[in-house]
Amino acid sequence: MAETHSLQDLQQPAVSSKVFIQRDYSSGTICKFQTKFPSELESRMDKQQFEETMQTLNNLYAEAEKLGGKSYLEGCLACLTAYTVFLCMETHYEKVLKKIARYIKDQNEKIYAPRGLLLTDPIERGLRVVEITIFEDRSIGSGR
Amino acid sequence: MKSREYQQIDPKALPTPSQSPPPHQHLAVGGDGRKEPMTARRKWEVFPGKNRFFCDGRIMMARQSGVFPLTLGLILVTSGLFFIFDCPFLVKHLTRCIPAVGGALFVFVLITLLQTSFTDPGILPRATPEEAADIERQIDDTGNTSYRPPPRTKEVLINQQVIKLKYCFTCKMFRPPRTSHCSLCDNCVERFDHHCPWVGNCVGKRNYRFFYSFIVSLSLLTAFIFGCVTTHLALRANGGKGLIFALQESPGSAVELAICFFSVWSILGLSGFHTYLVASNLTTNEDIKGSWSGKSGDAVTNPYSHKNIFINCCSVLCAPMPPSLIDRRGFLPADEPARASGADLELPNPNTKSDRNVCVQGPKGLLESAALTPLLATSCPQGKPQTALPCPESISALNSDPSLELSQRCGGTHHNSKTYGSTSPPLPTKSRLHKHKQASSHTPSPTSDDHLTPSSHDGNHRSAARGHRGAKFATLQ
């Protein structure tokens, strides 16, 4: 048991806290996150950079959910094939989600990780929150 | 030392950071060897809601399949009889198109039915403990986290309408607009329409289009078969031999006629009702509760409607298909050393405790409470989920029958929802009286919303737990 204690201590990243950016429902049920800069991040990064990240994310989600000619066409085609087309084809939404995942990874590498922060893709939290993990400055491994 | 003890507990009790709580995980481990790498398990295996998964997580249904086998059976039997008894005669006397059209409709109906039943309706995964703790912190600024906090609501402004978002005590999050918690499936479902026992699943954002296609194509199929059988029997009887003789010659037709005659009206009615809902961008849930009908006296309009029938239809039926948020087939990560704070542990406890305390009150709510506490226990890091586990199943078994019975009595729930929904007042709250039971059996109450707020300050609401038909419960407001 003592061994497991020490193993655990060694492996544990020094996470200090998590900040959750909640959804913004002022425009309805579309996926949109609040862009208000949380106070916990004030010491870590620029407000502007943060807002830019959130705005880009919101724009990407709006693109995913956009009602337009292309989505209607996809919907009608799917209906005609009794929706079996969803089994073979990647939907528009899924394509944009991949784009979002790439964007978040990119942001993490360029902006957040150097500041000891980590953005978690909202899809892993059921599109409820954007989770930002704040790592302690003292941790040698600089986060994960 | 103390912090070490917390750390020792955490990995067992708290789920890994990126998952919804996997209570069974540490059950399986049995409390030892939490450091051992476990064989990779998929997330569906530890899914906290009451769902059943097949094909390694590819297919999911509600745990109570309701009358889904009956639906499937009726469709297969009626169509089978049609192809066997009526088609040969009609092909000979009329045209070959009949079995072709019938066949196409039948296939379409089957596929849409299976898709409605087996697709994730838009389940929202439960909040991780950290999220839940964060929300609790924001709400309980007064520091009063024990015993029955008052019902938590948050107001948002959507298109100049004030919408109240309710806090779901089971899922530990504020429900997005139009989301409701289904008592039968024990999940929050986005754009919750209703729980349909005929398809054995909830109908929500992701599978509404399948459901709508299903009922429309089923009404076409039923009407088509009805017409063909009538034509067939008429043609046979026209030979001068009379209807009785025709029926004797083709007994299958009699069965089809009966089935189609009784079902075509309710299915057509249901299709019409849902067409209205689609055109006004409403859900059954909202329609029944009269959320936007201005009953409150204010001029409330549906804030989600695009004010244009065509756009409403397109946005409901042809919008981009949203992804499933529950990631059923993802693998659970191996146990990681937990996060720092033991604070995460403290907060859920009072809830479970207080709920357990309140559960003991009120014999009425006892059954449902008993069902609920295991659910709560499993979703909380603590606890004795093991002992509690048998309960939900027995309870749901107990409860499924009455609700089934009622739904059959109501004969086509959705149809009734249309007729009764408008007559019965939306959900008198907080009443557990038997007479209400009866009244509500005809109100296909979506329940959901209110049902599973175990922490509701009376024990009353507990009774809202099981029957989606509102068979027994008062729904809260």
Side-chain angles (χ1 to χ4, degrees):
Chain A
M1 276 314 214
E3 284 168 355
T4 41
H5 277 288
S6 58
L7 262 179
Q8 206 176 6
D9 289 341
L10 282 176
Q11 286 171 10
Q12 211 168 36
V15 174
S16 75
S17 63
K18 294 193 187 207
V19 181
F20 296 98
I21 315 293
Q22 299 288 339
R23 284 268 293 267
D24 175 9
Y25 295 114
S26 57
S27 311
T29 50
I30 60 165
C31 184
K32 192 173 166 195
F33 293 96
Q34 291 174 359
T35 49
K36 186 164 111 31
F37 188 57
S39 50
E40 294 92 333
L41 297 179
E42 261 162 25
S43 55
R44 297 279 189 138
M45 66 179 302
D46 278 345
K47 180 174 172 181
Q48 209 181 352
Q49 234 159 13
F50 173 80
E51 282 181 2
E52 198 189 303
T53 309
M54 295 310 296
Q55 201 51 52
T56 314
L57 273 180
N58 285 341
N59 291 342
L60 284 169
Y61 281 114
E63 187 196 323
E65 298 185 3
K66 194 167 96 112
L67 297 171
K70 194 174 170 211
S71 75
Y72 293 157
L73 212 58
E74 196 184 49
C76 288
L77 175 71
C79 180
L80 288 173
T81 59
Y83 302 105
T84 48
V85 77
F86 288 145
L87 298 168
C88 343
M89 212 174 73
E90 194 182 51
T91 66
H92 172 65
Y93 209 119
E94 285 167 351
K95 287 186 189 131
V96 180
L97 283 178
K98 286 195 173 152
K99 210 162 135 187
I100 291 173
R102 278 196 301 270
Y103 175 73
I104 289 182
K105 185 162 169 243
D106 187 58
Q107 290 282 294
N108 272 331
E109 282 167 7
K110 293 195 182 132
I111 301 176
Y112 291 84
R115 291 168 173 74
L117 300 169
L118 181 72
L119 273 182
T120 304
D121 195 338
I123 194 72
E124 290 175 30
R125 297 285 176 270
L127 292 182
R128 287 187 306 266
V129 288
V130 176
E131 185 181 300
I132 303 179
T133 315
I134 304 175
F135 293 100
E136 282 178 4
D137 283 335
R138 278 177 288 141
S139 73
I140 294 171
S142 70
R144 296 187 348 201
Chain B
M1 285 305 161
K2 269 190 190 165
S3 64
R4 281 197 185 166
E5 283 168 15
Y6 274 130
Q7 284 163 14
Q8 191 175 9
I9 294 169
D10 281 354
K12 251 197 265 188
L14 289 174
T16 52
S18 53
Q19 311 310 326
S20 46
H24 301 146
Q25 191 169 17
H26 53 270
L27 270 186
V29 173
D32 299 326
R34 85 195 129 79
K35 278 309 193 177
E36 289 166 10
M38 296 200 309
T39 49
R41 299 176 73 195
R42 295 201 191 254
K43 293 181 194 174
W44 65 264
E45 297 179 51
V46 297
F47 186 69
K50 285 199 240 154
N51 289 92
R52 280 194 277 187
F53 296 90
F54 306 101
C55 293
D56 200 21
R58 290 182 181 88
I59 290 174
M60 64 181 290
M61 287 183 77
R63 186 168 298 172
Q64 299 175 332
S65 55
V67 288
F68 172 67
L70 177 68
T71 310
L72 202 55
L74 277 175
I75 293 172
L76 289 172
V77 162
T78 313
S79 307
L81 288 174
F82 171 71
F83 290 120
I84 295 170
F85 285 95
D86 299 285
C87 280
F89 184 88
L90 290 169
V91 162
K92 202 162 58 164
H93 289 82
L94 282 179
T95 165
R96 251 180 234 166
C97 288
I98 289 180
V101 170
L105 275 176
F106 169 68
V107 166
F108 196 87
V109 163
L110 261 192
I111 293 179
T112 46
L113 170 62
L114 294 176
Q115 285 181 327
T116 312
S117 301
F118 296 155
T119 307
D120 168 17
I123 294 174
L124 277 177
R126 296 184 187 188
T128 56
E130 295 100 356
E131 281 177 60
D134 187 64
I135 294 178
E136 296 258 354
R137 257 193 301 268
Q138 284 172 23
I139 297 168
D140 295 316
D141 285 334
T142 56
N144 177 25
T145 53
S146 59
Y147 307 122
R148 292 295 151 177
R152 299 164 179 181
T153 55
K154 200 161 76 166
E155 289 189 353
V156 291
L157 200 66
I158 301 176
N159 279 342
Q160 285 88 45
Q161 297 271 358
V162 174
I163 312 284
K164 273 201 178 135
L165 301 184
K166 291 186 199 162
Y167 184 77
C168 181
F169 286 95
T170 310
C171 304
K172 302 226 183 318
M173 59 177 173
F174 279 99
R175 284 188 212 121
R178 311 190 99 177
T179 302
S180 266
H181 193 102
C182 176
S183 47
L184 288 169
C185 304
D186 197 30
N187 293 310
C188 270
V189 177
E190 283 191 292
R191 203 185 181 276
F192 181 81
D193 195 84
H194 64 283
H195 181 101
C196 184
W198 299 95
V199 303
N201 200 3
C202 286
V203 177
K205 183 160 96 167
R206 294 187 78 245
N207 66 350
Y208 187 76
R209 64 192 75 191
F210 305 143
F211 176 74
Y212 183 73
S213 308
F214 167 63
I215 54 174
V216 168
S217 54
L218 185 62
S219 41
L220 288 174
L221 179 69
T222 316
F224 180 75
I225 292 181
F226 188 61
C228 287
V229 169
T230 314
T231 311
H232 173 204
L233 290 175
L235 285 174
R236 270 194 200 260
N238 265 356
K241 296 166 183 170
L243 186 60
I244 306 293
F245 180 74
L247 284 173
Q248 280 171 344
E249 278 205 327
S250 182
S253 302
V255 175
E256 291 169 61
L257 205 59
I259 295 175
C260 288
F261 180 76
F262 288 114
S263 48
V264 74
W265 314 113
S266 38
I267 296 173
L268 272 176
L270 188 61
S271 303
F273 174 60
H274 277 278
T275 306
Y276 157 71
L277 289 182
V278 164
S280 23
N281 202 332
L282 278 174
T283 62
T284 306
N285 198 351
E286 288 164 355
D287 185 71
I288 286 172
K289 285 177 161 174
S291 314
W292 317 119
S293 62
K295 280 183 189 174
S296 59
D298 300 331
V300 290
T301 54
N302 182 1
Y304 311 108
S305 167
H306 297 100
K307 314 288 182 212
N308 176 319
I309 289 180
F310 181 68
I311 298 181
N312 277 340
C313 290
C314 287
S315 73
V316 175
L317 302 173
C318 299
M321 184 72 179
S324 173
L325 298 174
I326 55 178
D327 189 24
R328 312 184 280 282
R329 289 179 42 81
F331 284 102
L332 289 168
D335 270 337
E336 291 174 334
R339 320 15 124 21
S341 58
D344 289 345
L345 282 178
E346 286 163 15
L347 282 166
N349 288 345
N351 283 341
T352 20
K353 264 192 222 153
S354 61
D355 288 312
R356 281 180 196 262
N357 288 337
V358 179
C359 289
V360 175
Q361 299 167 10
K364 271 283 167 91
L366 194 57
L367 259 188
E368 286 83 6
S369 340
L372 283 171
T373 37
L375 295 172
L376 284 169
T378 52
S379 64
C380 287
Q382 293 303 286
K384 311 153 175 120
Q386 217 160 12
T387 48
L389 272 174
C391 298
E393 267 146 15
S394 56
I395 302 283
S396 57
L398 275 176
N399 287 346
S400 64
D401 294 333
S403 57
L404 250 188
E405 225 182 273
L406 282 161
S407 65
Q408 282 161 357
R409 221 188 297 149
C410 291
T413 47
H414 315 293
H415 181 56
N416 288 340
S417 77
K418 181 182 174 195
T419 35
Y420 295 123
S422 49
T423 53
S424 40
L427 324 173
T429 58
K430 301 183 174 119
S431 88
R432 294 189 280 137
L433 302 175
H434 287 284
K435 69 174 182 197
H436 175 69
K437 247 195 234 183
Q438 229 172 355
S440 57
S441 69
H442 292 289
T443 339
S445 70
T447 6
S448 345
D449 212 10
D450 327 297
H451 100 88
L452 257 198
T453 45
S455 45
S456 30
H457 24 304
D458 305 328
N460 294 344
H461 314 299
R462 227 33 98 34
S463 44
R466 295 273 146 190
H468 93 107
R469 289 304 146 185
K472 301 177 178 179
F473 343 107
T475 42
L476 303 178
Q477 269 176 352

